[in-house]
Amino acid sequence: MTQQQLAHIESLDHEGRGVAHVEGKTIFIEGALPYETVSYSSFRKKPSYESAVAVDIIKDSYMRATPACPHFGVCGGCSMQHVEFSAQVAIKQRVLEDNLSRLGKVRPQVVMPPIAGPAWGYRHRARLSARLVEKKGGVLVGFHEKRSSFIADMRECHVLPKHISDLIVPLREMIIKLSINNRMPQVEVAVGAEVDILVFRNMDAITDADFDILKKFSDQHSQPKRPLQIWLQPKGPETCYPIYPLDAPKLTYRLRDFSVEMPYYPTEFTQVNPEINNVMVSRALRLLEPKAGERIADMFCGIGNFTLPIARSGADVHGMEGSEALVKRAVENATHNQLQHKVSYEMANLFEVTEESFAALGKFDKMLIDPPRDGAIQLVKAITEETAPQRIVYVSCNPSTLARDAGVLVHTKGYTLKSAGIVNMFPHTAHVESVAWFEKTGPCKTKAELEAMEAEEEAQRAAAREIAIAARLEREATLAEQQAAEKAERLAAKAARTAEFHARTQANADKRAAYEARQAEAGSSEPQGE
């Protein structure tokens, strides 16, 4: 850490860090909020920015709240517990709007009200780390510390359901008793509608005694009509399997508004916040307005989170997903909900879509896109005038890639961004989920127009690079001139000091010579002895 300095916080970035400028340099300060004055200490310095942590809050913000969790600030699981809940939502809405404007050069006609729900106990999926740490006196179970591979010394977690949070200490006490207590690095949690599941990543086989310990743990912590089921995962996620109790209900979540029940495996991807997921799916389908007889695409469909609700409308839905395991689960879920006659699924790498491969799928009336953080740039680029759906609803977990893709849809594919808004899927974190509605209102750009746009953009980028290079050279020249002036000043000062030293030395020598001369003269004038 470097010496502490003061800063006035101007805004928050997309990671929930306070943003300040000190002597022209951008400082990202963890734990600081807009309008605050803080002292900070930098832990990473780069030429154009620094990363820092707030040390003292000199003047605090109206947004500041007291964190509920005693581990906040050490645990890396949450970054915004110090922000009042409604302010968190407002900040995330601003992040979305800023990204759309700055990166995509687009603005929604309507900003939808944020979707927000319970602030605590919302996280029904979690991956906890486990590690035997002798210095800590046993096994640690929890999330990693901030900016560290160490596991936080946790005893509770307020974003987990309380009955799961209450298992953290018993888990620590139980794992230490296992023969493989140093070979069990992970505990995955899945909270279903009727069952709770713990998946232990066992890097070595368990013994009969270990099984008895796990069985006893399940019996002790199961609730009436809600068992705690134990699974093991010896290798990759696809290798997990239940060991006790074997007659537990299936792991499921439900979409109440659409009478859909979704069975899934505990290591498969699903939204971690089932209450907010219900509301998000409902909003997405209100925007999509699926109708009987329409043909609708569900891209990055997963296990059918949107596919099956769309199918309830009577539309024919074609889901596409890059994971074979998820496609298999989606097919099973369609049958489970008796919707197999309205849906079809296909495994495909949607990051490699071309105009030709998209056209081969046939014409879609509408399309829903729910990509991972990388977005869906190749998919939106593959849309042509002949294949363009009339309406696209885009569910995003990354505002920057949504903004990038929105820019392509609006500026090159003839779409209008009708509305957009955030979904606070992960309270107390900087994660921003959002939903956007695009409507086809104009023609796609021709290849010639696209080439002209790309050439203009490249010219602008080249001009920006030249300006940046010129500015850098000017800064370097100014710095070199300043350094040269400072060096010349130092040399001049040194020369002056040297000259002054020589002058003093010469003056002293002259004084000594004069003194010696006077002494010699006085001696020669004395009477000579006989």
Side-chain angles (χ1 to χ4, degrees):
M1 294 283 187
T2 61
Q3 185 178 3
Q4 294 178 22
Q5 301 183 70
L6 291 182
H8 178 70
I9 309 304
E10 303 158 17
S11 62
L12 284 186
D13 73 347
H14 67 283
E15 295 181 10
R17 300 175 298 181
V19 181
H21 291 87
V22 178
E23 298 179 355
K25 194 173 189 181
T26 303
I27 316 294
F28 299 100
I29 306 175
E30 294 179 3
L33 297 176
Y35 318 118
E36 291 186 332
T37 301
V38 305
S39 67
Y40 68 92
S41 183
S42 297
F43 58 84
R44 183 180 298 112
K45 285 191 173 186
K46 297 291 182 181
S48 60
Y49 73 92
E50 292 181 18
S51 296
V53 61
V55 177
D56 289 311
I57 311 300
I58 310 302
K59 176 185 176 184
D60 62 358
S61 168
Y62 69 91
M63 298 181 183
R64 183 166 290 278
T66 302
C69 179
H71 306 302
F72 178 75
V74 176
C75 172
C78 295
S79 61
M80 296 182 72
Q81 282 194 30
H82 63 303
V83 185
E84 192 272 327
F85 186 65
S86 61
Q88 292 183 30
V89 176
I91 288 165
K92 293 180 182 184
Q93 186 75 45
R94 178 59 62 85
V95 168
L96 173 63
E97 295 177 36
D98 287 350
N99 273 271
L100 288 171
S101 175
R102 179 172 52 85
L103 299 178
K105 305 295 189 292
V106 296
R107 189 180 299 275
Q109 291 181 345
V110 175
V111 175
M112 294 182 288
I115 293 175
W120 306 105
Y122 66 84
R123 186 160 189 154
H124 284 213
R125 293 288 313 282
R127 182 173 294 168
L128 305 175
S129 295
R131 186 176 301 164
L132 177 62
V133 183
E134 299 288 358
K135 292 182 180 179
K136 297 285 185 178
V139 170
L140 299 183
V141 174
F143 297 111
H144 286 278
E145 295 179 357
K146 280 185 176 181
R147 306 184 303 275
S148 172
S149 61
F150 295 126
I151 299 173
D153 190 355
M154 295 173 56
R155 296 183 176 274
E156 57 190 291
C157 176
H158 289 243
V159 298
L160 293 174
K162 187 176 186 307
H163 70 284
I164 299 297
S165 172
D166 290 344
L167 292 180
I168 292 177
V169 172
L171 275 169
R172 295 170 58 155
E173 295 169 349
M174 184 271 289
I175 293 175
I176 192 66
K177 299 174 184 176
L178 299 175
S179 68
I180 57 169
N181 56 24
N182 62 343
R183 299 286 289 166
M184 190 171 275
Q186 178 181 297
V187 183
E188 194 142 358
V189 178
V191 178
E194 298 177 342
V195 64
D196 300 315
I197 291 179
L198 298 178
V199 182
F200 292 89
R201 173 71 174 94
N202 58 310
M203 299 179 70
D204 291 335
I206 65 170
T207 65
D208 290 343
D210 292 335
F211 176 83
D212 290 339
I213 292 170
L214 292 166
K215 177 178 179 296
K216 182 179 179 182
F217 186 86
S218 170
D219 290 337
Q220 286 179 337
H221 298 285
S222 290
Q223 301 178 49
K225 297 183 180 180
R226 187 177 184 84
L228 176 65
Q229 190 177 42
I230 306 298
W231 290 49
L232 295 180
Q233 181 191 322
K235 292 184 180 178
E238 70 285 351
T239 66
C240 70
Y241 63 96
I243 62 169
Y244 182 83
L246 297 179
D247 59 350
K250 283 186 176 181
L251 182 66
T252 64
Y253 68 90
R254 298 187 178 114
L255 298 167
R256 295 184 300 270
D257 293 349
F258 305 97
S259 300
V260 166
E261 183 179 70
M262 305 288 287
Y264 66 100
Y265 263 44
T267 55
E268 291 173 341
F269 173 79
T270 59
Q271 295 290 2
V272 305
N273 190 331
E275 290 300 318
I276 293 298
N277 183 58
N278 266 282
V279 183
M280 180 181 71
V281 172
S282 295
R283 171 171 285 184
L285 265 69
R286 282 197 300 272
L287 297 175
L288 193 65
E289 289 187 327
K291 295 180 176 62
E294 290 182 331
R295 186 167 185 261
I296 299 177
D298 180 12
M299 300 302 194
F300 304 93
C301 65
I303 65 174
N305 190 51
F306 292 99
T307 317
L308 301 186
I310 295 171
R312 281 281 186 234
S313 70
D316 294 307
V317 195
H318 185 65
M320 301 188 73
E321 171 59 53
S323 164
E324 182 178 1
L326 292 182
V327 170
K328 179 182 177 184
R329 187 77 54 236
V331 171
E332 293 173 356
N333 286 347
T335 302
H336 179 78
N337 288 277
Q338 299 181 346
L339 288 168
Q340 66 274 18
H341 61 292
K342 300 302 296 180
V343 302
S344 58
Y345 289 105
E346 179 180 347
M347 189 179 75
N349 184 348
L350 294 173
F351 298 109
E352 297 179 355
V353 181
T354 64
E355 290 184 0
E356 293 74 21
S357 66
F358 187 66
L361 298 172
K363 177 71 174 179
F364 294 109
D365 298 294
K366 298 171 181 176
M367 181 162 66
L368 187 138
I369 307 174
D370 181 18
R373 292 188 60 81
D374 291 337
I377 188 65
Q378 291 306 122
L379 177 60
V380 298
K381 283 184 175 180
I383 294 172
T384 65
E385 193 62 36
E386 293 72 28
T387 61
Q390 177 58 35
R391 181 173 297 188
I392 295 174
V393 173
Y394 192 130
V395 179
S396 167
C397 60
N398 185 344
S400 63
T401 53
L402 168 62
R404 176 201 64 194
D405 297 350
V408 173
L409 288 170
V410 170
H411 299 307
T412 72
K413 301 300 180 179
Y415 286 88
T416 295
L417 178 54
K418 303 291 282 185
S419 62
I422 68 131
V423 180
N424 195 20
M425 185 72 73
F426 296 84
H428 309 297
T429 77
H431 182 96
V432 180
E433 195 98 5
S434 57
V435 179
W437 163 26
F438 299 87
E439 195 75 13
K440 190 82 163 73
T441 55
C444 293
K445 298 288 186 185
T446 65
K447 286 191 176 181
E449 288 173 324
L450 288 174
E451 289 173 357
M453 284 181 61
E454 289 173 357
E456 182 180 355
E457 289 172 358
E458 180 53 39
Q460 291 174 349
R461 286 193 292 269
R465 285 195 296 270
E466 289 180 4
I467 291 172
I469 291 171
R472 178 171 57 80
L473 292 175
E474 183 178 355
R475 288 196 303 270
E476 290 175 351
T478 301
L479 180 61
E481 184 179 342
Q482 180 182 350
Q483 290 174 338
E486 291 173 353
K487 183 178 181 180
E489 186 178 343
R490 289 195 301 273
L491 291 174
K494 182 179 180 180
R497 289 194 301 272
T498 302
E500 183 183 359
F501 172 76
H502 288 319
R504 286 199 305 270
T505 302
Q506 185 61 48
N508 290 335
D510 291 344
K511 288 179 181 179
R512 181 69 182 175
Y515 172 77
E516 290 177 348
R518 288 195 301 274
Q519 290 294 104
E521 183 179 353
S524 61
S525 63
E526 290 179 0
Q528 299 293 320
E530 293 182 0

